[in-house]
PDB file of all heavy atoms in Angstrom:
ATOM      1  N   PRO R1192     118.785  90.818 125.534  1.00  0.00           N
ATOM      2  CA  PRO R1192     118.843  91.164 124.146  1.00  0.00           C
ATOM      3  C   PRO R1192     117.440  91.165 123.489  1.00  0.00           C
ATOM      4  O   PRO R1192     117.143  91.979 122.593  1.00  0.00           O
ATOM      5  CB  PRO R1192     119.763  90.071 123.517  1.00  0.00           C
ATOM      6  CG  PRO R1192     120.547  89.652 124.688  1.00  0.00           C
ATOM      7  CD  PRO R1192     119.716  89.626 125.813  1.00  0.00           C
ATOM      8  N   VAL R1193     116.601  90.159 123.769  1.00  0.00           N
ATOM      9  CA  VAL R1193     115.290  90.131 123.240  1.00  0.00           C
ATOM     10  C   VAL R1193     114.438  91.266 123.701  1.00  0.00           C
ATOM     11  O   VAL R1193     113.744  91.994 122.894  1.00  0.00           O
ATOM     12  CB  VAL R1193     114.618  88.768 123.587  1.00  0.00           C
ATOM     13  CG1 VAL R1193     113.115  88.841 123.081  1.00  0.00           C
ATOM     14  CG2 VAL R1193     115.292  87.564 123.004  1.00  0.00           C
ATOM     15  N   VAL R1194     114.520  91.647 124.978  1.00  0.00           N
ATOM     16  CA  VAL R1194     113.784  92.808 125.521  1.00  0.00           C
ATOM     17  C   VAL R1194     114.300  94.091 124.798  1.00  0.00           C
ATOM     18  O   VAL R1194     113.474  94.970 124.436  1.00  0.00           O
ATOM     19  CB  VAL R1194     113.974  92.888 127.039  1.00  0.00           C
ATOM     20  CG1 VAL R1194     113.310  94.156 127.637  1.00  0.00           C
ATOM     21  CG2 VAL R1194     113.477  91.658 127.714  1.00  0.00           C
ATOM     22  N   GLN R1195     115.548  94.259 124.658  1.00  0.00           N
ATOM     23  CA  GLN R1195     116.128  95.402 123.928  1.00  0.00           C
ATOM     24  C   GLN R1195     115.650  95.494 122.462  1.00  0.00           C
ATOM     25  O   GLN R1195     115.205  96.568 122.026  1.00  0.00           O
ATOM     26  CB  GLN R1195     117.664  95.392 124.018  1.00  0.00           C
ATOM     27  CG  GLN R1195     118.270  95.560 125.313  1.00  0.00           C
ATOM     28  CD  GLN R1195     119.743  95.422 125.364  1.00  0.00           C
ATOM     29  OE1 GLN R1195     120.269  94.705 124.499  1.00  0.00           O
ATOM     30  NE2 GLN R1195     120.400  95.887 126.367  1.00  0.00           N
ATOM     31  N   ALA R1196     115.624  94.408 121.855  1.00  0.00           N
ATOM     32  CA  ALA R1196     115.218  94.351 120.413  1.00  0.00           C
ATOM     33  C   ALA R1196     113.746  94.650 120.337  1.00  0.00           C
ATOM     34  O   ALA R1196     113.339  95.488 119.440  1.00  0.00           O
ATOM     35  CB  ALA R1196     115.487  93.029 119.835  1.00  0.00           C
ATOM     36  N   CYS R1197     112.896  94.075 121.150  1.00  0.00           N
ATOM     37  CA  CYS R1197     111.463  94.358 121.164  1.00  0.00           C
ATOM     38  C   CYS R1197     111.265  95.950 121.404  1.00  0.00           C
ATOM     39  O   CYS R1197     110.374  96.455 120.803  1.00  0.00           O
ATOM     40  CB  CYS R1197     110.751  93.434 122.091  1.00  0.00           C
ATOM     41  SG  CYS R1197     110.620  91.728 121.544  1.00  0.00           S
ATOM     42  N   GLY R1198     111.925  96.323 122.422  1.00  0.00           N
ATOM     43  CA  GLY R1198     111.698  97.727 122.821  1.00  0.00           C
ATOM     44  C   GLY R1198     112.114  98.679 121.618  1.00  0.00           C
ATOM     45  O   GLY R1198     111.417  99.677 121.357  1.00  0.00           O
ATOM     46  N   LEU R1199     113.205  98.411 120.946  1.00  0.00           N
ATOM     47  CA  LEU R1199     113.617  99.208 119.811  1.00  0.00           C
ATOM     48  C   LEU R1199     112.625  99.099 118.666  1.00  0.00           C
ATOM     49  O   LEU R1199     112.345 100.175 118.094  1.00  0.00           O
ATOM     50  CB  LEU R1199     114.979  98.763 119.379  1.00  0.00           C
ATOM     51  CG  LEU R1199     115.711  99.686 118.399  1.00  0.00           C
ATOM     52  CD1 LEU R1199     116.014 101.002 119.000  1.00  0.00           C
ATOM     53  CD2 LEU R1199     117.083  99.058 117.914  1.00  0.00           C
ATOM     54  N   VAL R1200     112.160  97.977 118.367  1.00  0.00           N
ATOM     55  CA  VAL R1200     111.154  97.860 117.286  1.00  0.00           C
ATOM     56  C   VAL R1200     109.913  98.672 117.641  1.00  0.00           C
ATOM     57  O   VAL R1200     109.310  99.409 116.770  1.00  0.00           O
ATOM     58  CB  VAL R1200     110.827  96.349 116.983  1.00  0.00           C
ATOM     59  CG1 VAL R1200     109.725  96.239 116.015  1.00  0.00           C
ATOM     60  CG2 VAL R1200     112.093  95.696 116.357  1.00  0.00           C
ATOM     61  N   PHE R1201     109.399  98.407 118.846  1.00  0.00           N
ATOM     62  CA  PHE R1201     108.132  99.184 119.226  1.00  0.00           C
ATOM     63  C   PHE R1201     108.464 100.634 119.204  1.00  0.00           C
ATOM     64  O   PHE R1201     107.500 101.465 118.716  1.00  0.00           O
ATOM     65  CB  PHE R1201     107.741  98.792 120.686  1.00  0.00           C
ATOM     66  CG  PHE R1201     107.044  97.485 120.798  1.00  0.00           C
ATOM     67  CD1 PHE R1201     107.263  96.588 121.871  1.00  0.00           C
ATOM     68  CD2 PHE R1201     106.138  97.042 119.837  1.00  0.00           C
ATOM     69  CE1 PHE R1201     106.584  95.464 121.985  1.00  0.00           C
ATOM     70  CE2 PHE R1201     105.466  95.910 119.910  1.00  0.00           C
ATOM     71  CZ  PHE R1201     105.699  95.066 120.999  1.00  0.00           C
ATOM     72  N   ALA R1202     109.574 101.216 119.644  1.00  0.00           N
ATOM     73  CA  ALA R1202     109.856 102.623 119.666  1.00  0.00           C
ATOM     74  C   ALA R1202     109.883 103.132 118.204  1.00  0.00           C
ATOM     75  O   ALA R1202     109.369 104.158 117.864  1.00  0.00           O
ATOM     76  CB  ALA R1202     111.177 102.889 120.308  1.00  0.00           C
ATOM     77  N   ALA R1203     110.531 102.313 117.284  1.00  0.00           N
ATOM     78  CA  ALA R1203     110.650 102.729 115.874  1.00  0.00           C
ATOM     79  C   ALA R1203     109.287 102.779 115.278  1.00  0.00           C
ATOM     80  O   ALA R1203     108.978 103.815 114.532  1.00  0.00           O
ATOM     81  CB  ALA R1203     111.510 101.737 115.129  1.00  0.00           C
ATOM     82  N   VAL R1204     108.343 101.800 115.509  1.00  0.00           N
ATOM     83  CA  VAL R1204     107.088 101.895 114.959  1.00  0.00           C
ATOM     84  C   VAL R1204     106.238 103.011 115.531  1.00  0.00           C
ATOM     85  O   VAL R1204     105.610 103.823 114.733  1.00  0.00           O
ATOM     86  CB  VAL R1204     106.271 100.573 115.229  1.00  0.00           C
ATOM     87  CG1 VAL R1204     104.826 100.703 114.917  1.00  0.00           C
ATOM     88  CG2 VAL R1204     106.939  99.359 114.607  1.00  0.00           C
ATOM     89  N   TYR R1205     106.258 103.257 116.751  1.00  0.00           N
ATOM     90  CA  TYR R1205     105.553 104.372 117.395  1.00  0.00           C
ATOM     91  C   TYR R1205     106.054 105.715 116.857  1.00  0.00           C
ATOM     92  O   TYR R1205     105.200 106.630 116.451  1.00  0.00           O
ATOM     93  CB  TYR R1205     105.614 104.337 118.896  1.00  0.00           C
ATOM     94  CG  TYR R1205     104.643 105.209 119.656  1.00  0.00           C
ATOM     95  CD1 TYR R1205     103.431 104.733 119.941  1.00  0.00           C
ATOM     96  CD2 TYR R1205     105.078 106.515 120.041  1.00  0.00           C
ATOM     97  CE1 TYR R1205     102.501 105.596 120.557  1.00  0.00           C
ATOM     98  CE2 TYR R1205     104.111 107.317 120.725  1.00  0.00           C
ATOM     99  CZ  TYR R1205     102.890 106.845 120.915  1.00  0.00           C
ATOM    100  OH  TYR R1205     102.015 107.603 121.602  1.00  0.00           O
ATOM    101  N   ILE R1206     107.292 105.940 116.908  1.00  0.00           N
ATOM    102  CA  ILE R1206     107.875 107.218 116.417  1.00  0.00           C
ATOM    103  C   ILE R1206     107.632 107.360 114.904  1.00  0.00           C
ATOM    104  O   ILE R1206     107.294 108.483 114.460  1.00  0.00           O
ATOM    105  CB  ILE R1206     109.337 107.306 116.742  1.00  0.00           C
ATOM    106  CG1 ILE R1206     109.620 107.359 118.260  1.00  0.00           C
ATOM    107  CG2 ILE R1206     110.010 108.514 116.004  1.00  0.00           C
ATOM    108  CD1 ILE R1206     111.019 107.282 118.681  1.00  0.00           C
ATOM    109  N   GLY R1207     107.746 106.346 114.159  1.00  0.00           N
ATOM    110  CA  GLY R1207     107.586 106.400 112.681  1.00  0.00           C
ATOM    111  C   GLY R1207     106.131 106.707 112.338  1.00  0.00           C
ATOM    112  O   GLY R1207     105.871 107.572 111.531  1.00  0.00           O
ATOM    113  N   LEU R1208     105.139 106.140 113.005  1.00  0.00           N
ATOM    114  CA  LEU R1208     103.731 106.496 112.823  1.00  0.00           C
ATOM    115  C   LEU R1208     103.360 107.912 113.167  1.00  0.00           C
ATOM    116  O   LEU R1208     102.596 108.580 112.484  1.00  0.00           O
ATOM    117  CB  LEU R1208     102.795 105.549 113.433  1.00  0.00           C
ATOM    118  CG  LEU R1208     102.764 104.103 112.744  1.00  0.00           C
ATOM    119  CD1 LEU R1208     101.926 103.057 113.652  1.00  0.00           C
ATOM    120  CD2 LEU R1208     102.276 104.162 111.346  1.00  0.00           C
ATOM    121  N   ASN R1209     103.894 108.316 114.366  1.00  0.00           N
ATOM    122  CA  ASN R1209     103.768 109.744 114.734  1.00  0.00           C
ATOM    123  C   ASN R1209     104.353 110.707 113.729  1.00  0.00           C
ATOM    124  O   ASN R1209     103.790 111.795 113.428  1.00  0.00           O
ATOM    125  CB  ASN R1209     104.292 109.903 116.174  1.00  0.00           C
ATOM    126  CG  ASN R1209     103.319 109.455 117.236  1.00  0.00           C
ATOM    127  OD1 ASN R1209     102.448 110.206 117.627  1.00  0.00           O
ATOM    128  ND2 ASN R1209     103.499 108.265 117.653  1.00  0.00           N
ATOM    129  N   MET R1210     105.506 110.351 113.201  1.00  0.00           N
ATOM    130  CA  MET R1210     106.150 111.239 112.258  1.00  0.00           C
ATOM    131  C   MET R1210     105.330 111.280 111.018  1.00  0.00           C
ATOM    132  O   MET R1210     105.198 112.278 110.396  1.00  0.00           O
ATOM    133  CB  MET R1210     107.567 110.692 111.993  1.00  0.00           C
ATOM    134  CG  MET R1210     108.371 111.424 111.002  1.00  0.00           C
ATOM    135  SD  MET R1210     110.111 110.833 110.816  1.00  0.00           S
ATOM    136  CE  MET R1210     109.844 109.164 110.192  1.00  0.00           C
ATOM    137  N   LEU R1211     104.786 110.187 110.572  1.00  0.00           N
ATOM    138  CA  LEU R1211     103.927 110.053 109.409  1.00  0.00           C
ATOM    139  C   LEU R1211     102.760 110.900 109.575  1.00  0.00           C
ATOM    140  O   LEU R1211     102.281 111.656 108.687  1.00  0.00           O
ATOM    141  CB  LEU R1211     103.594 108.574 109.070  1.00  0.00           C
ATOM    142  CG  LEU R1211     102.755 108.419 107.803  1.00  0.00           C
ATOM    143  CD1 LEU R1211     103.551 108.918 106.608  1.00  0.00           C
ATOM    144  CD2 LEU R1211     102.369 106.888 107.680  1.00  0.00           C
ATOM    145  N   ALA R1212     102.159 110.876 110.763  1.00  0.00           N
ATOM    146  CA  ALA R1212     100.975 111.715 111.072  1.00  0.00           C
ATOM    147  C   ALA R1212     101.271 113.144 110.906  1.00  0.00           C
ATOM    148  O   ALA R1212     100.475 113.993 110.335  1.00  0.00           O
ATOM    149  CB  ALA R1212     100.447 111.393 112.483  1.00  0.00           C
ATOM    150  N   ASP R1213     102.446 113.585 111.439  1.00  0.00           N
ATOM    151  CA  ASP R1213     102.806 115.035 111.369  1.00  0.00           C
ATOM    152  C   ASP R1213     103.025 115.483 109.954  1.00  0.00           C
ATOM    153  O   ASP R1213     102.626 116.510 109.508  1.00  0.00           O
ATOM    154  CB  ASP R1213     104.080 115.272 112.198  1.00  0.00           C
ATOM    155  CG  ASP R1213     103.848 115.212 113.666  1.00  0.00           C
ATOM    156  OD1 ASP R1213     102.599 115.233 114.018  1.00  0.00           O
ATOM    157  OD2 ASP R1213     104.768 115.205 114.436  1.00  0.00           O
ATOM    158  N   ILE R1214     103.616 114.556 109.162  1.00  0.00           N
ATOM    159  CA  ILE R1214     104.004 114.840 107.756  1.00  0.00           C
ATOM    160  C   ILE R1214     102.668 114.975 106.978  1.00  0.00           C
ATOM    161  O   ILE R1214     102.398 115.942 106.204  1.00  0.00           O
ATOM    162  CB  ILE R1214     104.874 113.847 107.110  1.00  0.00           C
ATOM    163  CG1 ILE R1214     106.298 113.943 107.758  1.00  0.00           C
ATOM    164  CG2 ILE R1214     104.926 113.951 105.603  1.00  0.00           C
ATOM    165  CD1 ILE R1214     107.211 112.751 107.319  1.00  0.00           C
ATOM    166  N   ILE R1215     101.632 114.114 107.277  1.00  0.00           N
ATOM    167  CA  ILE R1215     100.383 114.235 106.529  1.00  0.00           C
ATOM    168  C   ILE R1215      99.655 115.457 106.914  1.00  0.00           C
ATOM    169  O   ILE R1215      99.031 116.088 106.040  1.00  0.00           O
ATOM    170  CB  ILE R1215      99.509 112.917 106.792  1.00  0.00           C
ATOM    171  CG1 ILE R1215     100.229 111.666 106.207  1.00  0.00           C
ATOM    172  CG2 ILE R1215      98.147 113.101 106.296  1.00  0.00           C
ATOM    173  CD1 ILE R1215      99.437 110.403 106.590  1.00  0.00           C
ATOM    174  N   ALA R1216      99.773 115.842 108.235  1.00  0.00           N
ATOM    175  CA  ALA R1216      99.137 117.080 108.596  1.00  0.00           C
ATOM    176  C   ALA R1216      99.748 118.312 107.930  1.00  0.00           C
ATOM    177  O   ALA R1216      99.033 119.256 107.614  1.00  0.00           O
ATOM    178  CB  ALA R1216      99.277 117.183 110.137  1.00  0.00           C
ATOM    179  N   ILE R1217     101.090 118.251 107.720  1.00  0.00           N
ATOM    180  CA  ILE R1217     101.762 119.331 107.121  1.00  0.00           C
ATOM    181  C   ILE R1217     101.348 119.396 105.658  1.00  0.00           C
ATOM    182  O   ILE R1217     101.010 120.448 105.092  1.00  0.00           O
ATOM    183  CB  ILE R1217     103.279 119.162 107.181  1.00  0.00           C
ATOM    184  CG1 ILE R1217     103.815 119.326 108.593  1.00  0.00           C
ATOM    185  CG2 ILE R1217     104.054 120.070 106.231  1.00  0.00           C
ATOM    186  CD1 ILE R1217     105.222 118.935 108.806  1.00  0.00           C
ATOM    187  N   LEU R1218     101.179 118.271 104.925  1.00  0.00           N
ATOM    188  CA  LEU R1218     100.823 118.197 103.570  1.00  0.00           C
ATOM    189  C   LEU R1218      99.394 118.623 103.400  1.00  0.00           C
ATOM    190  O   LEU R1218      99.009 119.179 102.299  1.00  0.00           O
ATOM    191  CB  LEU R1218     101.043 116.808 103.023  1.00  0.00           C
ATOM    192  CG  LEU R1218     102.489 116.293 102.913  1.00  0.00           C
ATOM    193  CD1 LEU R1218     102.569 114.825 102.381  1.00  0.00           C
ATOM    194  CD2 LEU R1218     103.241 117.182 102.028  1.00  0.00           C
ATOM    195  N   ALA R1219      98.548 118.380 104.386  1.00  0.00           N
ATOM    196  CA  ALA R1219      97.180 118.770 104.354  1.00  0.00           C
ATOM    197  C   ALA R1219      96.862 120.208 104.633  1.00  0.00           C
ATOM    198  O   ALA R1219      95.766 120.687 104.512  1.00  0.00           O
ATOM    199  CB  ALA R1219      96.262 117.905 105.346  1.00  0.00           C
ATOM    200  N   ASN R1220      97.951 120.955 105.051  1.00  0.00           N
ATOM    201  CA  ASN R1220      97.865 122.427 105.390  1.00  0.00           C
ATOM    202  C   ASN R1220      97.964 123.225 104.186  1.00  0.00           C
ATOM    203  O   ASN R1220      99.043 123.354 103.621  1.00  0.00           O
ATOM    204  CB  ASN R1220      98.926 122.768 106.439  1.00  0.00           C
ATOM    205  CG  ASN R1220      98.670 124.183 107.042  1.00  0.00           C
ATOM    206  OD1 ASN R1220      97.974 125.018 106.410  1.00  0.00           O
ATOM    207  ND2 ASN R1220      99.193 124.433 108.171  1.00  0.00           N
ATOM    208  N   PRO R1221      96.825 123.887 103.719  1.00  0.00           N
ATOM    209  CA  PRO R1221      96.942 124.641 102.486  1.00  0.00           C
ATOM    210  C   PRO R1221      97.873 125.849 102.589  1.00  0.00           C
ATOM    211  O   PRO R1221      98.443 126.335 101.537  1.00  0.00           O
ATOM    212  CB  PRO R1221      95.469 125.033 102.229  1.00  0.00           C
ATOM    213  CG  PRO R1221      94.854 124.981 103.528  1.00  0.00           C
ATOM    214  CD  PRO R1221      95.545 123.858 104.229  1.00  0.00           C
ATOM    215  N   ARG R1222      98.017 126.354 103.702  1.00  0.00           N
ATOM    216  CA  ARG R1222      98.922 127.476 103.935  1.00  0.00           C
ATOM    217  C   ARG R1222     100.406 127.201 103.668  1.00  0.00           C
ATOM    218  O   ARG R1222     101.160 128.034 103.313  1.00  0.00           O
ATOM    219  CB  ARG R1222      98.780 128.129 105.375  1.00  0.00           C
ATOM    220  CG  ARG R1222      97.392 128.831 105.516  1.00  0.00           C
ATOM    221  CD  ARG R1222      97.253 129.297 107.052  1.00  0.00           C
ATOM    222  NE  ARG R1222      97.190 128.146 107.850  1.00  0.00           N
ATOM    223  CZ  ARG R1222      96.954 128.287 109.197  1.00  0.00           C
ATOM    224  NH1 ARG R1222      96.808 129.414 109.750  1.00  0.00           N
ATOM    225  NH2 ARG R1222      96.857 127.140 109.955  1.00  0.00           N
ATOM    226  N   LEU R1223     100.700 125.882 103.867  1.00  0.00           N
ATOM    227  CA  LEU R1223     102.093 125.454 103.547  1.00  0.00           C
ATOM    228  C   LEU R1223     102.195 124.972 102.142  1.00  0.00           C
ATOM    229  O   LEU R1223     103.270 125.136 101.493  1.00  0.00           O
ATOM    230  CB  LEU R1223     102.488 124.289 104.545  1.00  0.00           C
ATOM    231  CG  LEU R1223     102.580 124.704 106.024  1.00  0.00           C
ATOM    232  CD1 LEU R1223     102.922 123.419 106.794  1.00  0.00           C
ATOM    233  CD2 LEU R1223     103.658 125.683 106.190  1.00  0.00           C
ATOM    234  N   ARG R1224     101.127 124.424 101.656  1.00  0.00           N
ATOM    235  CA  ARG R1224     101.239 124.017 100.117  1.00  0.00           C
ATOM    236  C   ARG R1224     101.240 125.179  99.269  1.00  0.00           C
ATOM    237  O   ARG R1224     101.861 125.086  98.146  1.00  0.00           O
ATOM    238  CB  ARG R1224      99.988 123.130  99.802  1.00  0.00           C
ATOM    239  CG  ARG R1224      99.956 121.811 100.550  1.00  0.00           C
ATOM    240  CD  ARG R1224      99.037 120.806  99.814  1.00  0.00           C
ATOM    241  NE  ARG R1224      97.749 121.452  99.461  1.00  0.00           N
ATOM    242  CZ  ARG R1224      96.698 121.328 100.264  1.00  0.00           C
ATOM    243  NH1 ARG R1224      96.724 120.668 101.378  1.00  0.00           N
ATOM    244  NH2 ARG R1224      95.574 121.851  99.881  1.00  0.00           N
ATOM    245  N   HIS R1225     100.532 126.285  99.639  1.00  0.00           N
ATOM    246  CA  HIS R1225     100.512 127.524  98.778  1.00  0.00           C
ATOM    247  C   HIS R1225     100.924 128.749  99.517  1.00  0.00           C
ATOM    248  O   HIS R1225     100.147 129.584  99.928  1.00  0.00           O
ATOM    249  CB  HIS R1225      99.069 127.640  98.213  1.00  0.00           C
ATOM    250  CG  HIS R1225      98.585 126.423  97.612  1.00  0.00           C
ATOM    251  ND1 HIS R1225      98.903 125.964  96.320  1.00  0.00           N
ATOM    252  CD2 HIS R1225      97.586 125.513  97.986  1.00  0.00           C
ATOM    253  CE1 HIS R1225      98.232 124.865  96.075  1.00  0.00           C
ATOM    254  NE2 HIS R1225      97.404 124.505  97.094  1.00  0.00           N
ATOM    255  N   PRO R1226     102.211 128.819  99.831  1.00  0.00           N
ATOM    256  CA  PRO R1226     102.662 130.021 100.594  1.00  0.00           C
ATOM    257  C   PRO R1226     102.634 131.294  99.729  1.00  0.00           C
ATOM    258  O   PRO R1226     102.744 131.239  98.564  1.00  0.00           O
ATOM    259  CB  PRO R1226     104.176 129.638 100.944  1.00  0.00           C
ATOM    260  CG  PRO R1226     104.575 128.782  99.850  1.00  0.00           C
ATOM    261  CD  PRO R1226     103.282 127.905  99.455  1.00  0.00           C
TER     262      PRO R1226
END
């Protein structure tokens, strides 16, 4: 149970930060901000 919980938390952090990076990259794209 501890291994599963740690793995899930690590996965959530990693996926969350990657998702945030993609969203910031999208927001930084002027072609998307001003179609």
